[in-house]
Amino acid sequence: QQSELSGLRDVLRSMGQWGAFQGVVKRTRDLLDRQTQIRLQTAELGKSTLGKPVESMESEELAALRDNQRKQEQLLDDVTEHLARLEQLRQSLAEKDPTAAEAIDAAMRSARADDLVRHVREAATAIAANRAGAAETEQRAASQALQKMLGALHERENRELAQLRKKLDDAARQVDELIEEQNVVLAQTRTSGSPTESELEAMSGEQRTLSRNAKFLGDELIDADSTADAGRIVRQSSTPMTKAENELLAGDLESAVVSEQEAVKLLTDAREALLAAGQQAAEEMLRRTLAEVQQDLQAILAAQQAINNMMVQLRDAMKAAGRLSRTQTREAARLTKEQLDARALVSDLLPDMEQ
């Protein structure tokens, strides 16, 4: 049994690295939320300033444009800083938590492949020139890049949760084995009648081994917050086991039965705690999957709303002038492409929703 537990401590202790990693996830999510808010502000501003040269804008419009530009430029600085910190964290976790380091590396590769920094930068440049349509295109591309980064980071979390659930189930199985072995000793104690001294020594030895195994397993489980409560109960079960060991040596079978029953009760409580923790891990995996689907749906909805808003503006411009300008024609072509992209996002999401 000790050999089965040899890898448990490292896995459970790795959960302690989640603090820094969760900070990365939260920061990336915050950047995505900010980009979404800035893009909404850009779209709202574009309703009244579409096609206007910057030099002909009203003072209030210009102030709103510069505020939008400032926020996008600040986001650029923060994204750049975030990526630099990710590289530092990746290096620091390379040995302590290779799984986290790999997830961060995957997120960084995704950001580079999707040109995250360029999209954020070009969005700021487009806002400065009051090219709302171009700015929104870059902002949506930046949001998609950040969303993919989150996907890479969440993949690590999901793997860790799946691994934790398996380890909790394994620990519960190991406690089950202790319960079974303790019940065997308990049955022997109850039915032994008048055992000889050598028989009592053998029964006491078996009880001693169980007590040692309970202490070892309990210490392993105590090492991680997620299993500490169950670990303390398993560790506690070694006390009546040791008491039963001494009572068997003394030939006090009646007292040994009581002590062994107490040990079984404690081990049963520990097993239930581990099973409950495993169920919580499974529920957390489901919750995160649903949260990711919700985020994807929100992104699709936001993209569709932006497309709809721009289509309304182009329709109104068409009614007013009888035709579209060259800039507006290009905008219509861009919206057509974005509508196709939104449809593709829905197609990509459907398999996840069907699972």
Side-chain angles (χ1 to χ4, degrees), residues 62-79:
L62 184 59
L65 180 72
R66 295 309 178 212
D67 178 66
N68 190 223
Q69 176 187 351
R70 177 186 59 77
K71 290 178 180 177
Q72 187 68 42
E73 290 173 344
Q74 182 61 57
L75 182 67
L76 172 61
D77 291 341
D78 293 343
V79 165

Side-chain angles (χ1 to χ4, degrees), residues 147 291-301 345 349 352:
Q147 189 69 57
E292 290 171 17
V293 170
Q294 181 184 28
Q295 291 165 7
D296 289 339
L297 287 173
Q298 289 173 340
I300 292 170
L301 177 60
L345 287 174
L349 186 58
D352 291 334

Side-chain angles (χ1 to χ4, degrees), residues 136-276:
E136 287 187 69
T137 298
E138 298 296 340
Q139 289 168 334
R140 273 191 288 274
S143 292
Q144 290 173 7
L146 286 165
Q147 189 69 57
K148 288 181 181 179
M149 286 184 66
L150 276 175
L153 296 171
H154 285 315
E155 179 65 23
R156 182 263 183 173
E157 291 182 304
N158 292 337
R159 286 199 307 270
E160 289 284 2
L161 277 173
Q163 188 179 36
L164 174 61
R165 184 185 179 188
K166 181 180 183 302
K167 290 301 177 182
L168 288 169
D169 290 344
D170 287 346
R173 177 181 55 79
Q174 291 158 12
V175 173
D176 269 333
E177 292 176 0
L178 280 176
I179 293 173
E180 182 179 351
E181 292 169 359
Q182 181 63 79
N183 277 327
V184 169
V185 175
L186 175 59
Q188 290 175 346
T189 304
R190 281 174 168 165
T191 60
S192 60
S194 301
T196 64
E197 183 176 346
S198 61
E199 289 174 334
L200 287 173
E201 289 179 354
M203 293 167 61
S204 177
E206 291 177 7
Q207 190 63 76
R208 185 184 310 111
T209 298
L210 285 176
S211 178
R212 184 171 61 249
N213 289 342
K215 290 177 182 177
F216 186 83
L217 177 58
D219 288 343
E220 292 292 334
L221 296 177
I222 289 171
D223 275 347
D225 290 341
S226 56
T227 56
D229 290 342
R232 281 187 283 270
I233 298 173
V234 173
R235 189 72 167 75
Q236 184 181 351
S237 72
S238 68
T239 299
M241 288 181 184
T242 299
K243 185 179 179 184
E245 172 194 341
N246 295 327
E247 289 166 343
L248 287 169
L249 278 178
D252 187 355
L253 301 182
E254 183 176 349
S255 296
V257 166
V258 173
S259 298
E260 290 166 354
Q261 288 175 328
E262 182 183 353
V264 170
K265 173 63 169 59
L266 289 169
L267 290 172
T268 301
D269 290 345
R271 179 188 60 189
E272 293 304 314
L274 289 167
L275 292 176

Side-chain angles (χ1 to χ4, degrees), residues 4-66:
E4 292 178 349
L5 288 169
S6 60
L8 184 59
R9 176 175 287 133
D10 289 341
V11 174
L12 295 176
R13 282 179 175 172
S14 72
M15 305 301 292
Q17 304 293 336
W18 274 28
F21 188 82
Q22 287 300 312
V24 169
V25 175
K26 182 178 184 301
R27 179 60 171 166
T28 306
R29 164 55 58 188
D30 289 344
L31 292 171
L32 174 58
D33 290 343
R34 283 172 57 194
Q35 181 62 92
T36 300
Q37 291 302 316
I38 296 169
R39 182 179 56 75
L40 293 175
Q41 183 184 16
T42 303
E44 186 65 26
L45 184 61
K47 292 179 182 179
S48 59
T49 64
L50 181 65
K52 279 188 179 182
V54 174
E55 56 272 14
S56 66
M57 295 175 67
E58 300 292 336
S59 59
E60 291 184 0
E61 294 175 333
L62 184 59
L65 180 72
R66 295 309 178 212

